Amino acid sequence: MVNFSHYYGGGWRPCNTICFSFFLMIFAQCCIETFSASSQYLIGLGSYDITGPAADVNMMGYANTEQVTSGVHFRLRARTFIVAEPKGKRVVFVNLDACMASQIVTIKVLERLKSRYGDLYTDQNVAISGIHTHAGPGGYLQYVVYIVTSLGFVRQSFDAVVDGIEKSIIMAHENLQPGSVFVNKGELLDAGISRSPSAYLNNPLAERNKYKYNVDKEMTLLKFVDDEWGPVGSFNWFPTHGTSMSRTNGLISGDNKGAAARFMEDWAEQKGSFNRIPRRVSNIVSHLHRNYENLNVLAASFESSGGRPATRLLSSVSRVRSTVRQADRPSFVSAFCQSNCGDVSPNVLGAFCIDTGLPCEFNHSTCGGKNELCYSRGPGYPDEFESTRIIGDRQFRKAADLFSKASEKLNGKIDFRHTYLDLSKLEVDIPKQGGGHQTVKTCPAAMGFAFAAGTTDGPGAFDFSQGDVKGNPFWRLVRNILKKPGQEQVDCQHPKPILLDTGEMKEPYDWAPSILPIQILRIGQLVILSVPGEFTTMAGRRLRDAVKAVLTNEGHGEFDSNTHVVIAGLTNTYSQYVTTFEEYQIQRYEGASTLYGPHTLSAYIQEFKKLATALISGLTVNPGPQPPDLLNRQISLLTPVVVDLTPPGVKFGDVRNEIPQNSTFHRRDNVSVTFWTGCPRNDLMTEGTFALVEILKGKDTWVPAYDDDDFCLRFKWWRPKKLSAFSYATIDWIIPESAVSGVYRIKHFGAAKSLLGSISHFTGSSRAFVVV
């Protein structure tokens, strides 16, 4: 691998003679000018906290009403890159540690960008994509079906995402400097398996024989190199679901892709000394302690601090990676983006029955006819945190390898095309059996019975099962109370038995989208296809191949076999799944969740080919019908925080369950302490932290070591009873192997709401302890 000190830590040593120093200055300036002249693009990267409310809010992904946020595993971020021609076009790609993009979020972000930058950033050249973690706060989408379980719209979730995206784009814009972009690709074999293999097998044998695997194994990575600073970031695309964390988890988490991003950013920082303030504790503490007896005596002199008033700023300043304390150079930004992940699970051990331990039934993923007994297992089974770490680590290691070896430089135009489609009634020209063509239509959105069965990553309930092409009378009766589909809709969606006719349900406002964006971004020989849903493996392959064929066959030599085409899934808005026509016939979960009928994929391929043709011919495209802005029609039923209380004689920030006196811990031990606290919705601690591990430097200076952004630290919030005004913060630190010996303590930051509605901030520290 590349030694990052070559880019960041290396350089000439000071010279003793003025002449030689002057020579070096001239030589260095010439090199910089030469490098800058060879750089075709301006590049800029940015990152900002979008964690959102860590209490009481339903998580987006599993549609489980009982899965609500109750703390932080590690924080969520919006990560952005901008690539621009110095005097020409530019593209913006935002990767969200969120379940998916949202139409209303995209609309409001673009409005803010227009007020700030005019027409520089529009729906044409801005892409906002989600990693598909199922462990983030919901309530930030505008269509009813996606916010039912979150009790409607959650303004805090929405604002956190919109604010974070805007700030990450501003940061990337302000960081724009001459630089280069390199691309590299490679296989990652052990981070995803098919969760619907029976549907995949319904694709034509000749087509399946073109591929070695039934899921895509290729990662495509971009390496961003600033002319002045060297490598400043990387974005990659690889398909695997954000379902390493289960449907019972309540801690906000970026799941495996968010973990991979954190691992790679810390790896790059350690390798290259990106920040002048050292990140790792081993660099902060001048020497390792060896006299453990003295350590115990020193630790015993620090009892818990008791709760005390604090400022909001203190939480931000105390962060290990605080921008307040960082140097004036760009921070390294690494994003692990989602691709055609529709049928790809990170739970690579397969699906098993929880009652017998045997593999689930192949075609329907049931156990004794029940779908709710069939669960897939991650590589760390039964520990979902370990499964998340392993799958994240595997993606990180592949990305780091591709990053270190990236040598193919992107060259050529920056360009883009974008349009909106009405997928409820789009005419599609498809080949006809026996020759010729026929015109078919897509349908208003509808979800099939198998949708309610869920997947092996998160099974549904009741008597639903995957692969159901019949439905049952009882659930049809329930469906008809909401909206009975007409015969035309039934015929259009065939063989899907309709459970929810969401595209034709309009009260109190639209239940599902009908107008959807599609987009192509070009950076030289890289082409990004922004799709507003989850394409299955074969659906994604067909779309990529179709677009690449247009580019190479009609591009007059501008594109060739070396053109890189990637799919950016869950981008700009969300419309569930897209399967192939053949997979749709099987009606597993993905087929039942393909909203616009059996010809949905053909519609996307047809319209993307039009965009590709316009791209290479320099033609404009019709912008299409505009999606609705439903922000002012949103309904929220989430109960606000009324008041936070503590018992008499107890202050917020006081320790409730303390670490035992004279405690000594070892690596891999779990150190746990509980504080009296307020509801995390009082202050999201954006770019701050609820939890902190500090290490003692010298005899009286405490230095931040680990915080909410670290995989090893877990902030858990809970109430003794559902409607109690009392609440607790339990902070668990699973001591990592990299921790150095020393004296540590755990600190909590929080905010409490009074009966009068005012918010007060507080902090508290645990008793000190020793790690050996």
Side-chain angles (χ1 to χ4, degrees):
M1 290 188 179
V2 172
N3 181 351
F4 281 79
S5 65
H6 171 73
Y7 295 101
Y8 285 89
W12 295 90
R13 294 179 179 177
C15 303
N16 293 327
T17 66
I18 296 177
C19 291
F20 194 46
S21 298
F22 180 75
F23 168 77
L24 289 178
M25 290 171 60
I26 297 299
F27 177 78
Q29 183 63 35
C30 290
C31 289
I32 291 173
E33 289 176 355
T34 301
F35 194 11
S36 299
S38 67
S39 298
Q40 187 175 354
Y41 306 128
L42 302 176
I43 61 172
L45 291 93
S47 175
Y48 203 82
D49 189 350
I50 59 167
T51 301
D56 301 325
V57 175
N58 184 249
M59 288 184 162
M60 185 65 205
Y62 288 116
N64 175 14
T65 56
E66 297 180 358
Q67 187 194 18
V68 296
T69 57
S70 53
V72 177
H73 178 206
F74 58 91
R75 287 191 164 262
L76 310 180
R77 302 196 71 79
R79 295 173 170 93
T80 295
F81 75 73
I82 300 176
V83 182
E85 296 170 342
K87 296 183 179 180
K89 295 181 178 180
R90 61 184 59 198
V91 293
V92 181
F93 191 92
V94 184
N95 187 64
L96 300 178
D97 286 346
C99 195
M100 67 281 290
S102 156
Q103 185 66 72
I104 192 61
V105 166
T106 301
I107 289 172
K108 296 308 174 184
V109 167
L110 292 173
E111 286 180 359
R112 292 189 184 188
L113 293 177
K114 183 174 180 60
S115 66
R116 183 180 292 270
Y117 298 113
D119 293 329
L120 191 59
Y121 301 114
T122 69
D123 57 4
Q124 297 289 311
N125 64 344
V126 175
I128 302 172
S129 178
I131 63 170
H132 211 38
T133 175
H134 285 39
Y140 64 94
L141 290 92
Q142 72 170 352
Y143 296 104
V144 173
V145 76
Y146 305 131
I147 55 177
V148 168
T149 57
S150 61
L151 300 178
F153 190 72
V154 180
R155 188 74 197 207
Q156 268 194 322
S157 293
F158 172 80
D159 286 342
V161 174
V162 172
D163 291 347
I165 294 171
E166 181 191 24
K167 287 182 170 63
S168 73
I169 292 174
I170 292 171
M171 191 179 302
H173 176 87
E174 293 179 350
N175 285 339
L176 278 169
Q177 296 291 338
S180 302
V181 186
F182 296 84
V183 63
N184 199 5
K185 299 192 294 189
E187 281 192 340
L188 173 57
L189 300 181
D190 54 0
I193 62 169
S194 176
R195 68 183 189 188
S196 292
S198 60
Y200 181 87
L201 288 174
N202 207 45
N203 291 308
L205 176 62
E207 183 180 35
R208 288 186 279 117
N209 285 342
K210 292 165 56 180
Y211 304 99
K212 188 175 180 180
Y213 306 104
N214 63 356
V215 297
D216 282 345
K217 302 286 188 178
E218 188 171 74
M219 177 183 286
T220 301
L221 177 137
L222 297 184
K223 175 179 180 177
F224 299 91
V225 182
D226 186 284
D227 281 3
E228 180 181 2
W229 299 110
V232 289
S234 69
F235 278 55
N236 72 73
W237 290 264
F238 176 81
T240 194
H241 249 77
T243 50
S244 293
M245 301 296 290
S246 75
R247 67 195 299 272
T248 60
N249 162 64
L251 301 186
I252 291 175
S253 173
D255 208 275
N256 55 70
K257 286 189 176 290
R262 169 51 61 229
F263 298 159
M264 186 149 182
E265 287 174 346
D266 281 350
W267 168 80
E269 181 185 310
Q270 293 170 51
K271 288 287 183 181
S273 298
F274 285 75
N275 300 308
R276 291 170 190 161
I277 296 178
R279 160 69 184 96
R280 289 297 87 196
V281 177
S282 56
N283 294 331
I284 296 171
V285 179
S286 58
H287 64 278
L288 299 182
H289 297 282
R290 297 300 182 191
N291 190 329
Y292 300 133
E293 184 175 333
N294 289 345
L295 285 182
N296 285 319
V297 172
L298 189 58
S301 65
F302 292 96
E303 287 294 321
S304 59
S305 66
R308 58 184 64 178
T311 62
R312 171 67 178 80
L313 181 62
L314 184 60
S315 171
S316 298
V317 172
S318 298
R319 283 184 68 243
V320 173
R321 303 165 185 82
S322 173
T323 55
V324 178
R325 294 183 290 107
Q326 285 178 355
D328 57 351
R329 62 176 306 122
S331 298
F332 191 88
V333 178
S334 181
F336 285 69
C337 312
Q338 195 56 270
S339 190
N340 53 319
C341 67
D343 54 352
V344 187
S345 170
N347 298 312
V348 294
L349 298 186
F352 296 87
C353 299
I354 60 175
D355 55 344
T356 66
L358 298 174
C360 303
E361 188 271 335
F362 182 75
N363 288 311
H364 303 283
S365 295
T366 55
C367 301
K370 295 182 179 294
N371 74 83
E372 56 262 45
L373 298 178
C374 177
Y375 278 87
S376 55
R377 297 177 180 177
Y381 175 83
D383 185 342
E384 62 189 286
F385 293 96
E386 181 63 6
S387 292
T388 300
R389 186 198 64 79
I390 292 171
I391 297 298
D393 185 67
R394 288 173 181 174
Q395 291 178 79
F396 149 62
R397 290 181 183 276
K398 172 52 67 174
D401 182 56
L402 294 175
F403 180 87
S404 298
K405 297 175 181 177
S407 59
E408 181 185 344
K409 193 174 183 180
L410 294 184
N411 290 289
K413 296 179 182 176
I414 302 291
D415 210 347
F416 42 83
R417 292 295 185 276
H418 176 284
T419 191
Y420 290 104
L421 310 171
D422 187 346
L423 260 290
S424 69
K425 55 183 179 181
L426 188 68
E427 291 189 349
V428 186
D429 187 51
I430 63 172
K432 192 175 182 179
Q433 277 191 334
H437 289 77
Q438 63 177 328
T439 300
V440 295
K441 281 188 176 182
T442 55
C443 324
M447 298 190 292
F449 274 66
F451 158 80
T455 72
T456 56
D457 290 337
F462 304 110
D463 53 350
F464 298 101
S465 66
Q466 295 193 69
D468 184 358
V469 294
K470 296 180 180 179
N472 68 58
F474 173 76
W475 290 110
R476 279 197 176 91
L477 179 63
V478 174
R479 171 202 68 190
N480 291 346
I481 295 173
L482 294 172
K483 172 69 174 69
K484 182 179 179 180
Q487 191 59 47
E488 183 179 356
Q489 172 76 322
V490 171
D491 293 341
C492 187
Q493 293 279 352
H494 181 78
K496 177 198 293 179
I498 297 173
L499 176 64
L500 289 172
D501 190 16
T502 53
E504 298 182 315
M505 297 167 70
K506 303 295 183 180
E507 296 297 333
Y509 44 86
D510 292 357
W511 278 56
S514 59
I515 297 171
L516 299 170
I518 62 171
Q519 180 185 50
I520 294 180
L521 304 180
R522 178 190 177 183
I523 309 171
Q525 65 269 32
L526 173 78
V527 174
I528 301 171
L529 309 181
S530 300
V531 299
E534 304 173 61
F535 279 54
T536 61
T537 297
M538 194 63 85
R541 288 167 173 170
R542 290 184 189 178
L543 177 61
R544 283 198 307 259
D545 289 348
V547 171
K548 189 169 183 177
V550 171
L551 296 176
T552 54
N553 294 335
E554 301 179 21
H556 308 294
E558 192 173 350
F559 294 94
D560 56 27
S561 59
N562 194 41
T563 301
H564 306 281
V565 180
V566 298
I567 289 176
L570 306 112
T571 300
N572 293 329
T573 190
Y574 183 63
S575 59
Q576 292 171 252
Y577 285 76
V578 179
T579 65
T580 67
F581 178 86
E582 295 82 0
E583 291 166 348
Y584 186 89
Q585 309 307 307
I586 301 300
Q587 281 297 293
R588 284 187 64 106
Y589 174 81
E590 294 82 11
S593 304
T594 296
L595 297 183
Y596 308 102
H599 304 295
T600 302
L601 175 60
S602 296
Y604 276 112
I605 290 174
Q606 171 183 284
E607 300 304 312
F608 265 104
K609 287 170 69 174
K610 292 178 183 178
L611 284 191
T613 298
L615 185 78
I616 58 181
S617 62
L619 299 176
T620 59
V621 296
N622 189 318
Q626 291 297 301
D629 179 344
L630 302 176
L631 184 60
N632 291 333
R633 300 184 63 186
Q634 295 301 311
I635 298 171
S636 178
L637 302 177
L638 180 65
T639 304
V641 180
V642 178
V643 66
D644 295 293
L645 298 175
T646 59
V650 175
K651 302 187 298 295
F652 290 108
D654 280 357
V655 175
R656 181 174 182 266
N657 294 329
E658 180 63 280
I659 296 169
Q661 284 186 330
N662 301 318
S663 291
T664 298
F665 296 94
H666 299 81
R667 290 157 191 83
R668 297 190 179 180
D669 285 349
N670 182 4
V671 185
S672 183
V673 60
T674 300
F675 298 87
W676 289 94
T677 192
C679 181
R681 284 195 282 154
N682 294 323
D683 190 318
L684 306 184
M685 297 297 178
T686 301
E687 288 294 339
T689 185
F690 290 108
L692 186 69
V693 174
E694 295 180 314
I695 187 171
L696 186 64
K697 181 180 180 182
K699 292 186 177 181
D700 57 6
T701 302
W702 292 99
V703 179
Y706 303 92
D707 62 18
D708 279 356
D709 263 340
D710 283 288
F711 197 88
C712 62
L713 196 62
R714 299 170 193 171
F715 164 69
K716 302 175 181 178
W717 179 85
W718 52 288
R719 293 186 180 101
K721 295 179 182 179
K722 188 172 184 179
L723 298 179
S724 174
F726 297 153
S727 64
Y728 314 122
T730 297
I731 299 173
D732 290 342
W733 181 38
I734 297 85
I735 304 174
E737 292 288 346
S738 58
V740 301
S741 299
V743 176
Y744 291 84
R745 70 178 181 184
I746 293 176
K747 196 168 187 176
H748 169 50
F749 297 95
K753 186 175 184 180
S754 72
L755 272 173
L756 298 178
S758 62
I759 304 296
S760 59
H761 292 82
F762 58 86
T763 186
S765 301
S766 75
R767 176 182 289 133
F769 55 91
V770 174
V771 172
V772 297

